[in-house]
C-alpha cells in the first residue's frame, strides 16, 4: 500500500461529526449581521505581499514571522492572507465603496499564519470579520461591541466572555508615548528578551504585546498610554465608556491592551475567556482611522473586529451537547429488491419536490434489510420509509417510527407527502 498523505501541520479538517457546531455558528453570524444591516463581502485568499507590509506593519509578529509568502510563476510576491481588515479595505478602495460613503461589511473565511501550532492556535484558522467605514464617532465603536455582545448572547456564551477596552490615542499621542516607552525600556535593556531588544528602536509598543511571561513584570511597570492622551482622545474614550454603560455592557479598561497590528488607533477591545487556557482571546478589534489613506484611498474613519471561529467552537463544545447541533435526517428510506430500489428513488424525488424542507436519506448500499434498518437508527432519523416487493405491487410504503412508541403504518405512496408534512 502507498503511504497515506497527511494534512499540513496546523491546518485542520472539520469532519462531519463536528460540522454541526460550525454551521450553528455560521447561521447565528448571518442572523446577527443581518440584524445590524451589515452586508457580506467575499474576498480573495491571496493578495500581493505589499498589502500586508503596508497595513499590518513591518515590525509585527505577523509580517516578521508568520506570513505564508511565495513568488508565483510570474515572480510576483503573493501572500496567503493573515487577516482580513487590510483585504477588505483594499477591496473597498479598489471598487469605490468607501469614497465619501458609509459602509458596513462582514466576511468569514480562512486566514493563514505560520505560528507554532497548539490548542486554539493553528496555521489555517477561520475568522468572522466585521468592518464599519466612514463613521468617526464613539457611537459606531459601541455598535460594533454591542453586535459582538449579541453574537455571544445568541450563541449562549455571554457568561464566558469579558470585554476589555483600551485606547491607543491619535498618531501624534502614540509617537510621544513611543518615546516614553523607549526611554523606559532602554533603562532596563538587560532585562529585555531578544524580540524586545530588536523592537526597542523600531516599535517599542510591540514590547507591551509580548507573550513572553518573563516580560510581564517589566511591562507592568511601563508608562501608561492613558497618561499621554490629549483632550479629544480622552473625550472619545469617555464617550465609548458612557455608551457601553448605557447599553448595560460590562467592560474593564486594560491599559496593557495594544493589539498585534500597527493600524489601530483610539479605541481597541478584546473579548477574553478563562476557559481556553493561554489562547483566551476570542474576538479583537478597534478603530483604524489611518488605514484607508495608508492604502491609497481617501482618509476614512473606520473600525472593526475579528472573531476566531475555532475558539468559539471550542467554547460551544464545552457546553452544548453535540446532539443539539448535529444534523440528522428527518427520514431514512430502506428498499429491498430491484423493483423497490427504483420505486424508492422515484418516491424520494417526489417527496423532496413536495417537501423542500424535508431531509431524507436513501440507503443506497443494497445491504440486507436488517443492516439497512440498523443504519436508519444510527442516522438519527425520526422515521423509516420501507419499500419491498409487496409495497411496490400495491404502490404503498411502510412508515416506521423510530423515536416514538407508535405502531408502523402502511400508506399509499401518494399520501405519504401530506402525512409527513403533518409530522414535520
Ligand atoms: P493572539 O494574541 O492570540 O496571537 P492576535 O492578536 O494575533 O491573537 P488577531 O489578529 O487580532 O489575533 O485575530 C483575531 C482573533 O482571531 C483572535 O482573537 C483569535 O480568536 C483568532 N486567531 C488569531 N490567530 C489565530 C490562530 N493562529 N489560530 C486560531 N485562531 C486565531
Ligand atoms: Mg497572533
Amino acid at each position: 500500500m502507498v503511504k497515506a498523505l497527511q494534512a499540513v501541520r496546523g491546518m485542520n479538517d472539520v469532519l462531519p461529526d463536528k460540522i454541526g457546531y460550525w454551521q450553528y455558528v455560521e447561521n447565528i453570524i448571518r442572523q446577527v449581521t443581518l440584524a445590524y444591516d451589515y452586508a457580506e463581502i467575499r474576498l480573495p485568499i491571496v493578495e500581493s505581499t505589499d498589502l500586508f507590509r503596508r497595513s499590518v506593519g513591518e515590525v509585527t509578529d505577523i509580517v516578521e514571522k508568520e506570513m505564508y509568502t511565495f513568488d508565483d510563476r510570474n515572480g510576483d510576491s503573493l501572500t496567503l492572507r493573515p487577516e482580513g481588515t487590510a483585504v477588505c479595505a483594499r477591496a473597498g478602495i479598489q471598487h469605490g465603496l468607501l469614497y465619501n460613503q458609509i459602509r458596513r461589511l462582514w466576511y468569514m473565511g480562512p486566514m493563514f499564519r505560520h505560528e507554532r501550532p497548539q490548542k486554539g492556535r493553528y496555521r489555517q484558522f477561520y475568522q468572522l470579520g466585521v468592518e464599519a467605514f466612514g463613521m468617526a464617532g464613539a457611537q459606531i465603536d459601541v455598535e460594533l461591541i454591542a453586535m459582538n455582545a449579541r453574537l455571544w448572547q445568541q450563541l449562549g456564551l455571554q457568561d464566558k466572555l469579558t470585554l476589555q477596552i483600551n485606547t491607543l490615542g491619535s498618531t501624534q499621542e502614540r509617537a510621544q508615548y513611543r518615546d516614553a516607552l523607549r526611554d523606559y525600556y532602554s533603562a532596563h535593556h538587560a532585562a529585555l528578551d531578544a524580540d524586545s531588544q530588536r523592537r526597542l528602536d523600531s516599535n517599542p509598543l510591540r514590547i507591551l504585546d509580548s507573550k513572553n511571561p518573563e516580560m510581564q513584570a517589566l511591562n507592568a511597570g511601563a508608562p501608561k498610554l492613558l497618561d499621554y492622551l490629549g483632550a479629544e482622545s480622552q473625550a472619545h474614550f469617555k464617550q465609548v465608556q458612557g455608551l457601553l454603560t448605557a447599553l448595560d455592557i460590562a467592560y474593564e479598561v486594560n491599559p496593557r491592551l495594544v493589539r498585534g497590528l500597527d493600524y489601530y488607533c483610539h479605541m481597541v477591545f478584546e473579548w477574553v475567556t478563562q476557559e481556553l487556557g493561554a489562547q483566551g482571546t476570542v474576538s479583537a478589534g478597534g478603530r483604524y482611522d489611518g488605514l484607508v489613506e495608508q492604502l491609497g484611498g481617501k482618509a476614512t474613519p473606520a473600525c472593526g473586529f475579528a472573531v476566531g471561529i475555532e475558539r468559539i467552537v471550542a467554547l460551544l463544545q464545552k457546553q452544548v451537547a453535540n446532539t443539539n447541533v448535529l444534523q440528522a435526517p428527518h427520514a431514512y428510506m430502506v428498499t429491498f429488491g430491484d423493483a423497490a430500489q427504483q420505486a424508492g428513488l422515484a418516491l424520494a424525488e417526489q417527496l423532496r419536490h413536495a417537501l423542500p424542507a424535508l431531509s431524507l436519506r436513501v440507503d443506497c448500499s443494497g445491504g440486507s434489510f436488517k443492516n439497512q434498518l440498523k443504519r436508519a437508527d444510527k442516522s438519527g432519523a425520526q422515521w423509516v420509509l420501507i419499500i419491498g416487493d409487496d409495497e411496490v405491487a400495491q404502490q404503498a410504503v411502510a412508515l416506521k417510527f423510530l423515536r416514538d412508541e407508535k405502531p408502523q403504518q402502511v400508506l399509499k405512496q401518494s399520501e405519504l407527502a401530506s402525512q409527513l408534512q403533518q409530522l414535520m
Side-chain angles (χ1 to χ4, degrees), residues 21-42 104-110 126-130 147 150-152 154-155 305 307 309 312:
Y21 289 108
W22 286 74
Q23 294 178 340
Y24 175 71
V25 173
E26 287 162 10
N27 289 338
I28 287 177
I29 285 173
R30 280 174 208 289
Q31 265 175 36
V32 171
T33 50
L34 187 67
Y36 290 78
D37 192 29
Y38 281 61
E40 184 178 3
I41 183 167
R42 300 211 177 171
R104 289 173 160 89
L105 301 170
W106 70 274
Y107 49 85
M108 186 162 45
Y126 287 75
Q127 279 185 345
L128 158 69
V130 180
M147 178 196 230
R150 186 162 306 284
L151 195 60
W152 307 146
Q154 302 276 79
L155 289 164
F305 65 87
V307 178
I309 308 286
I312 298 188

Side-chain angles (χ1 to χ4, degrees), residues 320-386:
V320 183
N322 204 8
T323 47
N324 292 347
V325 289
L326 244 192
Q327 182 186 320
H330 297 113
Y332 192 105
M333 182 180 283
V334 161
T335 58
F336 211 58
D338 289 345
Q341 282 188 8
Q342 184 186 320
L345 273 188
L347 177 61
E349 290 305 316
Q350 280 170 31
L351 289 172
R352 294 186 183 112
H353 179 73
L355 305 172
L358 176 77
S359 170
L360 166 65
R361 189 192 304 178
V362 178
D363 188 311
C364 295
S365 67
S368 73
F369 187 58
K370 200 169 140 218
N371 281 340
Q372 289 193 51
L373 274 185
K374 259 194 212 154
R375 278 195 292 269
D377 191 38
K378 225 176 129 196
S379 76
Q382 299 287 321
W383 320 299
V384 196
L385 313 177
I386 303 167

Side-chain angles (χ1 to χ4, degrees), residues 214 234 373:
E214 286 167 21
Q234 282 184 15
L373 274 185

Side-chain angles (χ1 to χ4, degrees), residues 2 4 15 34 37 43 103 127 150 163 212 215 248 265 271 315 317 343 346 352 355 365 377 417:
V2 291
L15 301 181
L34 187 67
D37 192 29
L43 303 161
R103 289 282 171 183
Q127 279 185 345
R150 186 162 306 284
L163 173 64
N212 181 355
M215 291 291 301
D248 241 349
C265 62
W271 290 90
L315 284 177
Q317 275 181 276
R352 294 186 183 112
L355 305 172
S365 67
D377 191 38

Side-chain angles (χ1 to χ4, degrees), residues 122-136:
Y122 310 105
R123 290 179 171 174
Q124 173 174 334
F125 60 97
Y126 287 75
Q127 279 185 345
L128 158 69
V130 180
E131 320 286 355
F133 294 95
M135 292 159 278

Side-chain angles (χ1 to χ4, degrees), residues 7 14 45 51 59 82 98 115 124 144 148 158 161 178 204 210 212 219 264 266 274 291 306 321 340 347 384 389:
V14 181
I45 281 169
L51 174 62
V59 192
L98 308 183
E115 305 199 65
Q124 173 174 334
L144 286 167
N148 212 155
Q158 67 274 22
L161 290 151
R178 195 172 298 138
S210 166
N212 181 355
N219 283 346
Y264 286 109
H266 293 293
Q274 301 303 316
L291 180 65
L347 177 61
V384 196
D389 289 337

Side-chain angles (χ1 to χ4, degrees), residues 173-183 202-205:
E173 288 154 3
R174 258 207 292 177
Q176 285 173 1
Y177 177 58
R178 195 172 298 138
D179 293 343
L181 274 184
R182 199 173 282 131
D183 291 346
S202 51
N203 195 350
L205 250 94

Side-chain angles (χ1 to χ4, degrees), residues 125-332:
F125 60 97
Y126 287 75
Q127 279 185 345
L128 158 69
V130 180
E131 320 286 355
F133 294 95
M135 292 159 278
Q139 208 181 2
I140 188 68
D141 294 353
V142 173
E143 175 178 284
L144 286 167
I145 292 176
M147 178 196 230
N148 212 155
R150 186 162 306 284
L151 195 60
W152 307 146
Q153 194 227 330
Q154 302 276 79
L155 289 164
L157 297 176
Q158 67 274 22
D159 299 335
K160 314 278 176 199
L161 290 151
T162 53
L163 173 64
Q164 299 192 345
I165 62 173
N166 190 23
T167 177
L168 302 179
S170 66
T171 319
Q172 296 87 321
E173 288 154 3
R174 258 207 292 177
Q176 285 173 1
Y177 177 58
R178 195 172 298 138
D179 293 343
L181 274 184
R182 199 173 282 131
D183 291 346
Y184 171 79
Y185 286 118
S186 299
H188 297 86
H189 197 270
L192 297 176
D193 62 15
D195 270 347
S196 303
Q197 287 189 359
R198 204 162 32 80
R199 287 170 175 181
L200 184 56
D201 281 327
S202 51
N203 195 350
L205 250 94
R206 297 256 55 78
I207 302 177
L208 281 180
D209 195 36
S210 166
K211 300 266 170 357
N212 181 355
E214 286 167 21
M215 291 291 301
Q216 257 162 30
L218 192 58
N219 283 346
K224 294 188 173 59
L225 179 58
L226 285 175
D227 298 330
Y228 290 78
L229 294 183
E232 220 175 293
S233 295
Q234 282 184 15
H236 184 102
F237 197 44
K238 277 260 143 52
Q239 259 181 314
V240 167
Q241 296 180 59
L243 289 171
L244 287 174
T245 306
L247 293 188
D248 241 349
I249 299 174
Y251 65 89
E252 211 173 277
V253 175
N254 174 2
R256 304 283 145 217
L257 189 66
V258 296
R259 310 285 307 111
L261 305 92
D262 275 357
Y263 50 60
Y264 286 109
C265 62
H266 293 293
M267 195 267 320
V268 291
F269 66 94
E270 289 190 355
W271 290 90
V272 293
T273 178
Q274 301 303 316
E275 301 206 3
L276 297 178
Q279 288 6 292
T281 306
V282 177
S283 172
R287 187 158 272 288
Y288 51 91
D289 293 338
L291 180 65
V292 174
E293 190 176 23
Q294 209 174 309
L295 292 177
K298 186 185 167 198
T300 304
C303 52
F305 65 87
V307 178
I309 308 286
E310 282 83 357
R311 294 183 191 177
I312 298 188
V313 168
L315 284 177
L316 282 175
Q317 275 181 276
K318 283 174 179 264
Q319 72 175 50
V320 183
N322 204 8
T323 47
N324 292 347
V325 289
L326 244 192
Q327 182 186 320
H330 297 113
Y332 192 105

